[in-house]
Amino acid sequence: MELHDVWFVLIAVLWIGYFFLEGFDFGVGVLTKLLARDRTERRVLINTIGPVWDGNEVWLLTAGGATFAAFPEWYATLFSGFYLPLLLILVCLIVRGVAFEYRHKRDEERWQTNWEHAIFWTSLVPAVLWGVAFGNIVRGVKIDGQKEYVGNFFDLLNPYAMLGGLVTLTLFTFHGAVFAALKTVGDIRMRARALALKLGLPTAASALGFLTWTQVSRGDGSSLVAMIVAVPALVGAILAIKAGREGWSFALSGVTIVAAFAMLFLTLFPNVMPSSLNEEWSLTVTNASSSPYTLKIMTWLAGIATPLVLLYQGWTYWVFRKRIGTQHIADAH
């Protein structure tokens, strides 16, 4: 296996890890309006992800940086062609981070309500747009013979990509509901379970439709295996949350996300951005990659730094592993 193939796999792992971790972050943010009944319950939900949300976003920074260094042509075409949706995602992530930190700085109801609205919308919008973006990457976009994107914003709003956005929204929200049930106690835990069950059917239906469409249009044997893993795992997650086994449900919903996004990357390879104008104009792991020397240096650095980052983040989750409830929230000061 060539180094550019290795780095395609590593970048896929980084993106999949990001969606596994940030997926329940986005889901919990959406649940602050769908599940929480008052400000105290919203504080409970926000506190379930409070110690980890910023660490989860490191995976996005690493994935973007690795794409820039290992596949500069891919990075340039992707970020120029998808400029508006990616800019909107970036703005949402910035506002979301500010909202988490500033919401509790003042006691006024209007101040806190506005930041809570921001948390909801800046969780929902990226959850949709990431699905739209990856749907377009898999489907193929208008790339010309100079490897440049020549389409426009409205070309990205096609039925396949929009279905991808619906899938990521429902799947992340389901993932977040299961995580909320896993991390809380009392009435909010029971309602999180019930909401996860309600979300199960639309999540499964949209995911099955999208993955089937992907398999029929661009899939092969390896992507079919990933699909066979993803769909039963999602069904298992629904059955597990129905039985009150939040840990198993969260693990299986995570497997669903991992397998579903692995399927998308498997349908891409050896392309990184297919051209819908001419297959020969597609960006591949060969024509979009950096020099072998650059990839070699990156491999050594990644081999040293990655285990340390994983150990630190795993330790963070272990420290903040306990459940919380409304009884753990101090009265407003």
Side-chain angles (χ1 to χ4, degrees):
M1 182 181 285
E2 300 289 337
L3 278 179
H4 51 65
D5 297 330
V6 172
W7 272 98
F8 178 86
V9 174
L10 292 176
I11 288 171
V13 169
L14 290 171
W15 280 110
I16 292 169
Y18 170 69
F19 289 125
F20 173 80
L21 296 172
E22 192 80 325
F24 68 76
D25 267 6
F26 289 144
V28 170
V30 173
L31 293 179
T32 57
K33 294 296 183 183
L34 300 183
L35 179 63
R37 291 176 173 173
D38 53 36
R39 177 150 295 119
T40 301
E41 290 191 350
R42 281 192 287 274
R43 290 176 65 187
V44 170
L45 291 175
I46 292 171
N47 286 356
T48 62
I49 60 174
V52 298
W53 69 267
D54 48 355
N56 294 343
E57 290 189 354
V58 170
W59 288 74
L60 173 62
L61 299 176
T62 308
T67 304
F68 171 76
F71 299 99
E73 289 281 354
W74 183 12
Y75 182 93
T77 304
L78 175 64
F79 279 78
S80 60
F82 293 19
Y83 180 81
L84 286 178
L86 291 179
L87 177 62
L88 182 56
I89 290 174
L90 178 61
V91 171
C92 284
L93 294 180
I94 293 172
V95 173
R96 187 168 178 264
V98 173
F100 282 135
E101 298 297 331
Y102 274 66
R103 179 188 58 84
H104 63 281
K105 297 297 184 182
R106 290 168 58 179
D107 296 334
E108 290 87 345
E109 181 176 354
R110 183 176 180 182
W111 171 273
Q112 295 193 1
T113 299
N114 287 339
W115 287 120
E116 287 164 0
H117 286 318
I119 290 172
F120 170 77
W121 287 108
T122 56
S123 298
L124 185 147
V125 172
V128 174
L129 291 182
W130 279 126
V132 174
F134 272 83
N136 277 291
I137 292 173
V138 172
R139 175 179 176 269
V141 292
K142 294 180 178 180
I143 300 175
D144 64 11
Q146 286 70 48
K147 313 301 182 186
E148 295 182 358
Y149 179 77
V150 293
N152 57 56
F153 173 76
F154 295 100
D155 291 329
L156 304 178
L157 304 180
N158 54 81
Y160 176 78
M162 297 303 290
L163 178 58
L166 176 63
V167 170
T168 50
L169 175 61
T170 55
L171 186 56
F172 291 168
T173 306
F174 174 80
H175 195 42
V178 174
F179 180 79
L182 179 65
K183 290 289 292 180
T184 58
V185 295
D187 181 59
I188 192 170
R189 176 188 179 188
M190 297 298 104
R191 285 188 282 112
R193 279 188 195 173
L195 181 58
L197 276 176
K198 291 179 182 179
L199 292 170
L201 182 59
T203 301
S206 59
L208 180 61
F210 179 74
L211 296 181
T212 301
W213 192 346
T214 302
Q215 180 63 30
V216 170
S217 60
R218 303 193 64 89
D220 56 16
S222 58
S223 62
L224 179 60
V225 171
M227 178 178 173
I228 291 173
V229 172
V231 175
L234 181 55
V235 173
I238 297 170
L239 294 176
I241 197 65
K242 184 178 182 180
R245 303 298 296 272
E246 295 104 339
W248 280 105
S249 182
F250 181 73
L252 288 170
S253 67
V255 169
T256 302
I257 292 174
V258 170
F261 279 96
M263 179 183 178
L264 298 185
F265 280 100
L266 287 169
T267 60
L268 272 179
F269 187 82
N271 294 325
V272 292
M273 280 193 78
S275 173
S276 60
L277 300 178
N278 188 327
E279 186 66 29
E280 296 182 356
W281 295 344
S282 298
L283 296 177
T284 69
V285 294
T286 303
N287 64 27
S289 68
S290 295
S291 67
Y293 180 75
T294 299
L295 296 178
K296 184 177 180 180
I297 296 298
M298 289 175 60
T299 303
W300 279 104
L301 292 174
I304 295 171
T306 302
L308 298 176
V309 174
L310 291 176
L311 286 172
Y312 176 77
Q313 192 164 22
W315 176 78
T316 302
Y317 276 91
W318 175 256
V319 170
F320 295 100
R321 66 189 181 277
K322 292 184 178 180
R323 296 176 181 266
I324 62 173
T326 53
Q327 68 271 27
H328 300 118
I329 302 298
D331 293 334
H333 54 275

